[in-house]
Amino acid sequence: MKRYNVFHRVHSGLKAMLYDTSMCLQQTDFSSSEDADKALEQLEIVIELFNKHTLMEDTIVFASIKQTEPSLLYIFENEHHEDAVLVQSLEGLHASFNLAPNADQKLAIGKMIVQLFTEFTIFNLRHMANEESIINNALWKYYTDEELRMMTEKINSTYTSTQIDIYSSWMMRGLNINEISDWLKEVKNTAPDFLFQSLMQTAANELNQQRWQLVQEAITDGAMLA
């Protein structure tokens, strides 16, 4: 039986953000203030959302199995510490870039940012994959799918509307058509209509014409079957 994956949607969005930001930084001319500012603004958003995501995992997801799986959590909490060190290093390079007196130094620091963000991306891709395998298996031993969905709702309630909008946009970019359609149907059936309409608008904004048409068809078919 397929179990509820508390990580999948948000991880799909975070992975899409990592891929996109990696390419953005890789293509950035750090001697151009306009180009660099745009890329570093996206880097700041990535850091903010990953910090928030890590906090939610520590305080809600990991806390739910702290008593039953302490040795397992020790490993993942240490990984979160490693991730925090990478974040601090990225923030330090960003600060150094802003203080660099000339284009040559900005280019050199920009190259370091690209290299370090590559390490950050690789680390987090591996970390998220392990969470979806190892932590999920632990959660499934102790919690029902309904309890795990309630855990997701508890996490979502801690985000600001701006953060939710950003996460939703990236999840639309990272999920496949069936996953997006199932997500929209779930919201339509369980949430107020204004939330469903808002998410539909996000889908319309983020999906290309072909993907958006397929989602609309899936939603309509689901409504007809219901």
Side-chain angles (χ1 to χ4, degrees):
M1 181 181 69
K2 184 178 180 181
R3 294 296 310 272
Y4 179 75
N5 184 338
V6 72
F7 297 108
H8 181 68
R9 285 177 188 162
V10 66
H11 278 183
S12 294
L14 290 173
K15 284 185 278 189
M17 182 182 287
L18 288 175
Y19 303 145
D20 186 83
T21 306
S22 293
M23 184 60 73
C24 174
L25 290 171
Q26 189 172 303
Q27 294 176 340
T28 296
D29 175 6
F30 284 95
S31 66
S32 163
S33 295
E34 182 179 357
D35 209 20
D37 287 348
K38 181 180 178 181
L40 293 174
E41 181 180 355
Q42 183 165 335
L43 175 63
E44 288 178 355
I45 293 172
V46 171
I47 288 173
E48 176 189 347
L49 294 186
F50 267 86
N51 282 343
K52 177 68 173 182
H53 177 66
T54 297
L55 177 62
M56 291 302 96
E57 286 185 338
D58 285 340
T59 58
I60 297 178
V61 180
F62 289 3
S64 69
I65 52 174
K66 194 172 187 67
Q67 299 302 316
T68 53
E69 303 284 351
S71 59
L72 179 63
L73 288 190
Y74 178 79
I75 296 170
F76 282 88
E77 287 170 344
N78 278 345
E79 288 190 5
H80 277 182
H81 176 71
E82 292 178 50
D83 200 38
V85 172
L86 289 171
V87 165
Q88 289 171 1
S89 297
L90 282 168
E91 291 175 329
L93 286 175
H94 188 179
S96 297
F97 179 88
N98 290 336
L99 295 174
N102 56 59
D104 286 344
Q105 289 192 29
K106 286 183 180 296
L107 283 170
I109 296 171
K111 183 177 181 180
M112 295 169 66
I113 290 172
V114 173
Q115 291 173 336
L116 185 57
F117 192 80
T118 298
E119 292 181 35
F120 178 79
T121 298
I122 292 170
F123 179 88
N124 276 286
L125 290 175
R126 184 181 300 114
H127 175 71
M128 287 188 284
N130 287 337
E131 284 180 330
E132 292 203 37
S133 173
I134 299 169
I135 298 295
N136 260 335
N137 282 326
L139 290 170
W140 292 336
K141 286 196 296 184
Y142 305 106
Y143 295 95
T144 66
D145 285 356
E146 183 58 31
E147 288 171 329
L148 293 175
R149 286 189 175 90
M150 290 174 64
M151 189 182 295
T152 297
E153 290 177 9
K154 183 177 181 180
I155 292 169
N156 290 342
S157 70
T158 69
Y159 290 102
T160 66
S161 58
T162 299
Q163 289 172 330
I164 288 174
D165 288 344
I166 296 172
Y167 268 121
S168 296
S169 295
W170 283 105
M171 286 190 283
M172 288 295 178
R173 300 175 199 180
L175 294 167
N176 66 40
I177 295 300
N178 291 332
E179 291 166 341
I180 294 170
S181 300
D182 288 345
W183 180 20
L184 287 165
K185 290 175 187 176
E186 179 183 317
V187 172
K188 183 177 183 179
N189 292 330
T190 61
D193 186 62
F194 76 90
L195 291 178
F196 171 68
Q197 295 301 332
S198 175
L199 198 57
M200 285 288 283
Q201 186 59 55
T202 300
N205 293 340
E206 297 298 337
L207 304 178
N208 63 36
Q209 185 175 356
Q210 181 183 17
R211 277 163 61 80
W212 174 228
Q213 182 176 347
L214 289 171
V215 166
Q216 288 178 293
E217 290 172 358
I219 297 296
T220 302
D221 290 343
M224 291 174 66
L225 289 172

